[in-house]
Amino acid sequence: MRKVYYLLLMAALLCIACEFKLSPNGAEEHYGRIEVERFDRLESRYLTTGDFSAMQEMNILYPMQARTLIEKVLQIGVMSDQDIATRFLRYYQDSTLQQLIIDVESEYAKMDDINAQLQQGFGKLRKWFPDLPIPAIYAQIGSFDQSIIVGDKMIGICLDKYMGVNYNLYEKFYSYSQRQSMTRSYIVPDCLSFYLLSLYPLDQFESRTQLERDIHMGKVMWTVNKVIGQNLYNTPYIKMVEHFMKKHPKVTVPFLLMNNDIQGLGR
């Protein structure tokens, strides 16, 4: 199941990265402080109380995030629809989703640890990639559809996909092996993985062999493992990359991710 998750992650990212072209909302061109923007709090306020001022604030303060959620993630219409606010509110009136909103806001009342991990992670990436653009990062509540959304200088974290192995609502939809990666500890590694994949995609993905796709994903996950200082991701393809890098100590991480020629790496 772990392998299936990683393959789905890679395929989903490639689709999302091509489809979502967002403008940064507060992203800095230089490397400054990284802090998750709490779009989810306005979303929660509107969806649990019907306070229309919260919907207005979402549109004013986070126009791209709101549009992405409604049009691309939920796919319930377009922002210009006259009844889109009502449709958005009704979508989340399901009792399961209402409980999800309450649980997410309780679980993620504070995200200082996530902010610190993101700061550290991007700081380490900058040592390998000095010109790496630092994205604006925001949190939202989806409906179990996506985990990480990547656009132009922007990363969206769907907190509803990181509620923990034993979260009761997951038991209806996910196996235990799937739930193992749906925890708080995976948020930052997944952000880094999706973001690197958006910057260093596999050329001609559709025509590539499965081995080529797996190894490219292995390169990204190997890189993230090195950044976070632990082997959180663990696949045979990551081990191939590890073996390759030990045999070729002069190969840089940027060259590894940019080079799609895998000759010798799969052996």
Side-chain angles (χ1 to χ4, degrees):
M1 294 299 297
R2 177 75 61 183
K3 178 181 177 182
V4 172
Y5 167 75
Y6 291 143
L7 295 179
L8 289 175
L9 181 148
M10 182 176 181
L13 169 74
L14 292 172
C15 292
I16 292 170
C18 291
E19 189 173 1
F20 295 157
K21 298 299 182 182
L22 309 179
S23 298
N25 183 21
E28 294 180 300
E29 290 301 321
H30 62 282
Y31 180 49
R33 183 184 178 191
I34 294 178
E35 184 172 344
V36 177
E37 297 180 46
R38 301 306 303 265
F39 170 74
D40 62 294
R41 288 177 173 166
L42 285 175
E43 181 187 354
S44 175
R45 193 174 107 205
Y46 177 63
L47 296 176
T48 56
T49 69
D51 182 358
F52 189 69
S53 66
M55 184 68 182
Q56 291 177 315
E57 287 184 61
M58 287 169 58
N59 288 328
I60 295 171
L61 300 178
Y62 302 101
M64 293 297 100
Q65 292 89 333
R67 177 170 295 153
T68 298
L69 176 62
I70 288 173
E71 296 184 359
K72 303 299 184 180
V73 177
L74 303 178
Q75 297 183 6
I76 58 175
V78 296
M79 294 300 291
S80 58
D81 291 342
Q82 290 186 346
D83 65 339
I84 196 61
T86 301
R87 207 179 308 168
F88 180 43
L89 182 63
R90 287 176 179 171
Y91 184 91
Y92 280 90
Q93 293 313 298
D94 174 85
S95 59
T96 297
L97 292 181
Q98 282 290 303
Q99 185 62 51
L100 173 66
I101 294 170
I102 295 171
D103 293 343
V104 166
E105 293 304 283
S106 175
E107 176 68 22
Y108 289 97
K110 294 184 178 180
M111 295 185 68
D112 294 344
D113 57 324
I114 304 298
N115 292 333
Q117 291 169 31
L118 286 167
Q119 189 80 33
Q120 184 178 41
F122 277 100
K124 289 185 176 180
L125 277 181
R126 267 296 183 94
K127 294 180 180 179
W128 285 330
F129 307 90
D131 297 325
L132 183 79
I134 303 301
I137 304 174
Y138 68 96
Q140 69 175 14
I141 303 171
S143 58
F144 305 121
D145 297 305
Q146 306 288 346
S147 53
I148 302 295
I149 297 172
V150 179
D152 182 13
K153 297 183 181 179
M154 188 172 288
I155 296 176
I157 303 169
C158 298
L159 297 177
D160 50 288
K161 290 297 289 289
Y162 296 99
M163 291 295 290
V165 175
N166 298 317
Y167 182 50
N168 63 318
L169 295 183
Y170 284 166
E171 295 179 2
K172 301 178 183 179
F173 309 107
Y174 304 101
S175 67
Y176 178 76
S177 60
Q178 289 175 311
R179 300 199 304 270
Q180 286 181 304
S181 59
M182 298 170 69
T183 66
R184 194 183 190 102
S185 63
Y186 272 83
I187 288 179
V188 173
D190 282 355
C191 282
L192 298 176
S193 296
F194 274 93
Y195 193 56
L196 285 175
L197 277 170
S198 72
L199 296 176
Y200 300 96
L202 181 63
D203 292 342
Q204 300 177 326
F205 176 81
E206 296 298 331
S207 63
R208 294 284 184 167
T209 66
Q210 191 60 55
L211 177 61
E212 289 175 311
R213 298 176 185 181
D214 290 340
I215 290 179
H216 188 72
M217 192 69 195
K219 293 177 183 180
V220 171
M221 290 182 169
W222 176 87
T223 302
V224 173
N225 280 347
K226 294 301 180 184
V227 168
I228 65 176
Q230 59 177 301
N231 294 324
L232 185 71
Y233 299 124
N234 184 18
T235 73
Y237 309 102
I238 295 173
K239 294 177 181 177
M240 288 181 185
V241 176
E242 178 73 26
H243 178 71
F244 175 83
M245 293 300 282
K246 285 182 178 179
K247 287 181 62 178
H248 304 85
K250 293 185 179 180
V251 172
T252 65
V253 175
F255 181 83
L256 176 72
L257 295 184
M258 289 186 290
N259 183 15
N260 290 321
D261 181 5
I262 65 165
Q263 185 175 2
L265 190 56
R267 292 202 291 266

